[in-house]
Amino acid sequence: MLKFKSLQFLYKDGDDDFMAITSSSLRNDRMELGISTEGDVFSVTVSSNKEITIMKILALFEYDFSDDDRIFLNGYQSWTDSVEHSVSDKMHGISHIPSAIRNKYAFSQYGDYNFSSYGDDMHGWSYGYIRSDDKYCFFGSLAEQSGFTQFITQTDKGFICAQKDCEGLTINGEWQALRLYITEGSEKEVFDGYFSALDIKPRTENAIFGYTSWYDHYQDIDEETIRNDLIGLNALTLKADVFQIDDGWQTAVGDWLSVDKNKFPKLMKKTADDISAAGLTPGIWLAPFVCEEDSELFRNNKEWLLLDSDNGYVKGGSNWSGFYALDIYNPEVREYIRFVINTIVNEWGYRLLKLDFLYAACIIPVPIRPEDR
């Protein structure tokens, strides 16, 4: 079982830096740091009576690793690995790739490479476990709404760290820094306990079977392709419930209401109607938080793009013609996304949306205005 050792807390009050390393709650005339354990839940809260800026908060736990242990650490997002590691494994970043190639293809944007260390220690996000045969030591965050939680395993030192992604966060009042669910048991016991602590109820719906155009055709789709696939699905003994059209129907990523009329001359409502007529639920792909360089959105609405600290556009990756993150806190961007989804669902008739490249919403930290909270 994980055993709490100490908490590292760094913050700024104006231009003054303060640091505390403690294993128990403390308070001063600026703030109160609360550390508590109740059952399987370990909590850290910070309460301030004036504006302070959090720079680091890290809880250190002791764990007695054995050579046969397997360690699972959840990846940052779907482009990163989520696998069981051996105790002696190392996680490899992208530093071995020549910088010219890294920059050309924006490899750093497909993971946490810009704000995580890759070396002897392994890390993951939100939850993980250490497995010894069929016994699990589980640790997971119950407070991701206050910032991502990174778990770092230092197997040579016998430590597991839980660190909140919070550098530069300004607070005035109470802030839930860490809230961790830590338990041991079988796979079912620990995950059922975690979902219960998150107030996630067991699913009661029947499983559905779906078809996507991506793995057969990638972007090479049109009305005839969809029609032929519908005929092919109808001939199968195992019937699908959902038919999802993937990337390739739009003129450019970001221009979601501009359908490629060479591929879909009768537009997307007719295709949704055809899918429904075949007895299937229509589904469609889009990436709502990005636009590619060849899009009309990129050419005509550059004020919608997310800017970095140097006022440069934040690249999301090298797919398509290269793509960029939208500023999702811009009211016009939010209204555009609402309008797009309303059109696709209520006018075109698609009932399942496959939303991709959502990591673009948090490539860089963005100060949130009070009205956006």
Side-chain angles (χ1 to χ4, degrees):
M1 191 69 169
L2 272 64
K3 180 182 178 182
F4 175 60
K5 180 175 176 62
S6 63
L7 187 83
Q8 299 176 23
F9 179 45
L10 281 70
Y11 68 97
K12 297 175 72 72
D13 179 3
D15 294 329
D16 297 324
D17 296 326
F18 297 90
M19 180 179 71
I21 299 177
T22 180
S23 58
S24 59
S25 301
L26 58 84
R27 63 185 305 172
N28 56 35
D29 58 355
R30 291 174 297 273
M31 65 86 201
E32 181 174 353
L33 180 67
I35 302 173
S36 64
T37 300
E38 185 175 344
D40 291 328
V41 178
F42 171 86
S43 297
V44 178
T45 58
V46 180
S47 299
S48 64
N49 55 29
K50 61 183 299 187
E51 189 173 276
I52 62 174
T53 301
I54 311 296
M55 301 307 294
K56 181 179 182 180
I57 193 153
L58 181 150
L60 187 66
F61 297 87
E62 295 176 321
Y63 187 84
D64 186 16
F65 291 94
S66 68
D67 292 340
D68 295 330
D69 284 342
R70 304 295 296 178
I71 303 170
F72 174 86
L73 297 163
N74 184 50
Y76 178 64
Q77 35 94 332
S78 61
W79 290 78
T80 56
D81 289 336
S82 296
V83 300
E84 281 193 348
H85 299 272
S86 71
V87 171
S88 59
D89 273 355
K90 289 180 172 55
M91 302 179 83
H92 301 287
I94 57 173
S95 60
H96 62 286
I97 302 174
S99 60
I101 297 176
R102 290 203 310 267
N103 295 335
K104 178 179 179 180
Y105 294 103
F107 285 145
S108 65
Q109 308 302 74
Y110 293 99
D112 59 358
Y113 309 109
N114 290 327
F115 47 87
S116 294
S117 299
Y118 281 79
D120 293 336
D121 300 332
M122 297 183 289
H123 71 270
W125 298 86
S126 301
Y127 70 95
Y129 62 73
I130 304 162
R131 179 174 65 83
S132 178
D133 295 325
D134 59 355
K135 181 180 179 182
Y136 289 71
C137 175
F138 180 92
F139 39 89
S141 172
L142 302 174
E144 293 300 82
Q145 71 276 11
S146 65
F148 294 136
T149 305
Q150 185 183 51
F151 291 98
I152 305 165
T153 58
Q154 299 177 335
T155 57
D156 57 331
K157 300 175 183 177
F159 291 143
I160 294 178
C161 310
Q163 178 170 261
K164 181 67 77 171
D165 178 21
C166 61
E167 183 178 354
L169 175 68
T170 298
I171 67 167
N172 187 355
E174 184 170 307
W175 175 59
Q176 179 75 70
L178 292 169
R179 185 170 171 80
L180 308 178
Y181 181 75
I182 302 171
T183 192
E184 287 185 336
S186 67
E187 180 179 19
K188 177 176 173 53
E189 288 170 340
V190 299
F191 277 99
D192 282 356
Y194 184 47
F195 295 147
S196 178
L198 287 169
D199 198 28
I200 297 175
K201 303 294 190 296
R203 294 184 181 274
T204 57
E205 300 86 356
N206 294 327
I208 61 173
F209 169 63
Y211 172 84
T212 175
S213 62
W214 182 250
Y215 296 104
D216 259 356
H217 310 292
Y218 296 100
Q219 291 179 301
D220 188 18
I221 56 174
D222 54 25
E223 285 181 359
E224 183 179 2
T225 300
I226 300 305
R227 186 165 50 250
N228 289 338
D229 284 355
L230 285 170
I231 294 171
L233 281 177
N234 188 55
L236 295 178
T237 302
L238 181 60
K239 301 300 183 183
D241 300 294
V242 175
F243 187 106
Q244 181 248 316
I245 299 171
D246 215 281
D247 187 9
W249 57 271
Q250 74 287 347
T251 55
V253 168
D255 297 338
W256 304 114
L257 302 182
S258 176
V259 178
D260 188 335
K261 294 181 180 178
N262 293 320
K263 293 181 175 183
F264 294 89
K266 297 179 182 177
L267 305 182
M268 301 313 293
K269 183 181 187 308
K270 174 62 168 62
T271 306
D273 290 343
D274 290 344
I275 295 171
S276 295
L280 302 170
T281 298
I284 200 166
W285 172 94
L286 66 155
F289 298 156
V290 303
C291 67
E292 65 172 303
E293 195 164 336
D294 285 348
S295 66
E296 289 296 322
L297 191 156
F298 181 84
R299 284 189 285 269
N300 300 326
N301 297 90
K302 286 192 170 62
E303 71 278 8
W304 288 8
L305 300 178
L306 183 63
L307 300 177
D308 61 22
S309 58
D310 297 321
N311 285 323
Y313 302 130
V314 177
K315 199 156 191 178
S318 58
N319 301 64
W320 311 292
S321 54
F323 68 98
Y324 296 84
L326 298 177
D327 179 3
I328 64 169
Y329 295 106
N330 182 321
E332 292 184 353
V333 172
R334 291 188 173 197
E335 184 55 36
Y336 171 66
I337 294 172
R338 287 191 193 98
F339 184 67
V340 165
I341 292 177
N342 180 68
T343 301
I344 290 174
V345 172
N346 295 319
E347 294 186 21
W348 295 358
Y350 289 90
R351 294 293 177 263
L352 178 142
L353 304 182
K354 175 185 173 184
L355 305 180
D356 212 347
F357 295 91
L358 299 184
Y359 67 80
C362 50
I363 290 179
I364 62 172
V366 179
I368 301 176
R369 300 168 300 183
E371 61 268 28
D372 295 327
R373 292 186 185 275

